[in-house]
Amino acid sequence: MHLRHGLARWWVLLGICAAAIAWLVVGGLASNIVYFRTASEAQADRVHDATHVFRLAGAVVPNSVQAVADGVDFQLTDGHVTIPVHHRGDPPELFRPGAPVVVEGHWDSPASSAFFASDRILIKHGSEYSPPPVPGQNAPANAGQANATQAARR
Amino acid sequence: MTDPGFVVAGYTITALVITAYAASLRARMRRADPTRSLRNRDG
Amino acid sequence: MTGWRSRLGQLTDLATVGALGTLGYLALVVAPPDAVQGDAQRLMYLHVPVAWLAYLSFGVTALASLLYLVPATRSLRWDLLAGASAEIGVVFTGLTILLGSIWARPVWGVWWTWDARLVTTAVLFFLFLGYLALRQVPAAPHVRARRAAVAGLVAVTDVPVVHLSVIWWRTLHQQPTVLNPELNPQIHGVMATTLLWGVVAFTLLYVTLLRHRYRLAGLEEQREELLLHQAVLERRGIAADPLVPVLSDAQSLPDTQTLSEAQR
């Protein structure tokens, strides 16, 4: 009886693992395999997307960051197409002009002049690592944030 | 500049996980010792 | 069990502790903060070596499973080694995800996102957790071993998928810094040395943990055999001082069928 009991427990764990894998692959991976779209792709799919939620990737255009009442406005570019973004809430710590970011949200309206309404900003950093130019200080990050703050004040 | 609290948390958790796993190996080793386990099977 | 082997074992234990301590010093004191990420980047010196340890564990599980399946090298020792290594792999895959989450929060801005690298790593965790559960399902030793070996070889196919996910698909997760397709590491000198030291230290940790876990697997197997044998003896009405008959009665061990009957 003791052994039967133990046996059932392992089958239960196996079942949980199988269910977790199915949930991760079907629910998570399948619908996120294209994790983000570039500004050009988003622009091209605009009519089709309407106001559905998706992720948009690009770099924050320098000097485009403006603090507004409920968040921050900025321009996002992939080098070809530039899209105005309105983000509700505080941007993350490493958000700064020039930073590569992924924003989650949707077109504010189906109109071709609509901005992208974001409710989450993710920072997409590269795989290059180096110390700051001046030892002991994070010059670029700080400088970036100072610019952002200045831009926001203007 | 990022919060160093995350770094502290990460290094602490890693140290705890490694120590806990090593301790579990030690405990299971003692329990599996054949001369011990046969003498008191229920323990 | 004493002698040069246990001496060497103690030496690896000590070397592991020393290497990990040195890594802590290099990563937290010697290495500079990153230009963009600041101090948070120091989590890389754990996240990457821990992930490497997990890959290594599952690689060894796969190799041992294969050696079990090939008739010329078939031995239950390979099965025990595969199981021992997989358990370590599961612990360190869990830790990889945990560390990644702690690193992601300050740098990406979220604890978790549905990125291909993250999801395939979580799948890897559950694949091998399931593998460990499967190993516990009772069966005759060689049935269980073959079942586990096949499952181990199936599960390990996710390891290259995890590693290449950041190249195959668009992800938020960055591409490999060192093992990138161009094989051109983009990392500053002291940081690179620290990362390399981390990989060496965690490889050493793997060797140490596997050594102990494999010994434990042997002990558990022995204990299981003795307990079963004792149960058989008791059913036959031979009440006994457990140690004596088991050790002298080895030839008259019943076959597996009788054993599984005794189990019930």
Side-chain angles (χ1 to χ4, degrees), chain C residues 45-91:
Chain C
Y45 305 124
L46 290 183
H47 180 68
V48 173
V50 166
W52 152 252
L53 195 161
Y55 284 177
L56 181 63
S57 310
F58 296 142
V60 169
T61 295
L63 192 68
S65 303
L66 199 67
L67 285 168
Y68 175 80
L69 287 178
V70 173
T73 50
R74 179 160 303 162
S75 156
L76 284 174
R77 280 163 176 267
W78 293 126
D79 173 58
L80 289 184
L81 185 69
S85 194
E87 185 186 282
I88 298 170
V90 168
V91 170

Side-chain angles (χ1 to χ4, degrees), chain C residues 141-220:
Chain C
H142 278 285
V143 173
R144 194 167 58 177
R146 198 182 55 204
R147 200 194 265 167
V150 172
L153 284 173
V154 170
V156 86
T157 55
D158 190 33
V159 170
V161 176
V162 170
H163 189 71
L164 295 171
S165 59
V166 290
I167 293 159
W168 289 347
W169 300 301
R170 282 183 184 171
T171 56
L172 185 65
H173 194 286
Q174 68 270 41
Q175 299 209 341
T177 297
V178 179
L179 293 174
N180 54 21
E182 297 84 34
L183 288 175
N184 175 25
Q186 298 290 316
I187 180 165
H188 171 266
V190 182
M191 294 169 140
T193 315
T194 307
L195 182 60
L196 186 71
W197 183 266
V199 169
V200 171
F202 275 84
T203 306
L204 210 55
L205 175 65
Y206 171 70
V207 172
T208 301
L209 289 178
L210 184 67
R211 193 174 72 84
H212 291 291
R213 185 60 187 81
Y214 180 62
R215 228 185 81 207
L216 171 63
L219 285 175
E220 279 176 341

Side-chain angles (χ1 to χ4, degrees), chain A residues 35-36 41 124-125 129-130 132, chain C residues 33-35 107 113 170-171 174:
Chain A
Y35 186 78
F36 57 77
E41 288 164 357
K124 181 172 170 39
H125 64 82
Y129 303 99
S130 67
Chain C
D34 182 62
V107 173
T113 184
R170 282 183 184 171
T171 56
Q174 68 270 41

Side-chain angles (χ1 to χ4, degrees), chain C residues 10-30:
Chain C
Q10 282 171 348
L11 221 65
T12 15
D13 291 0
L14 279 176
T16 306
V17 174
L20 289 174
T22 311
L23 174 64
Y25 177 70
L26 285 176
L28 297 175
V29 181
V30 177

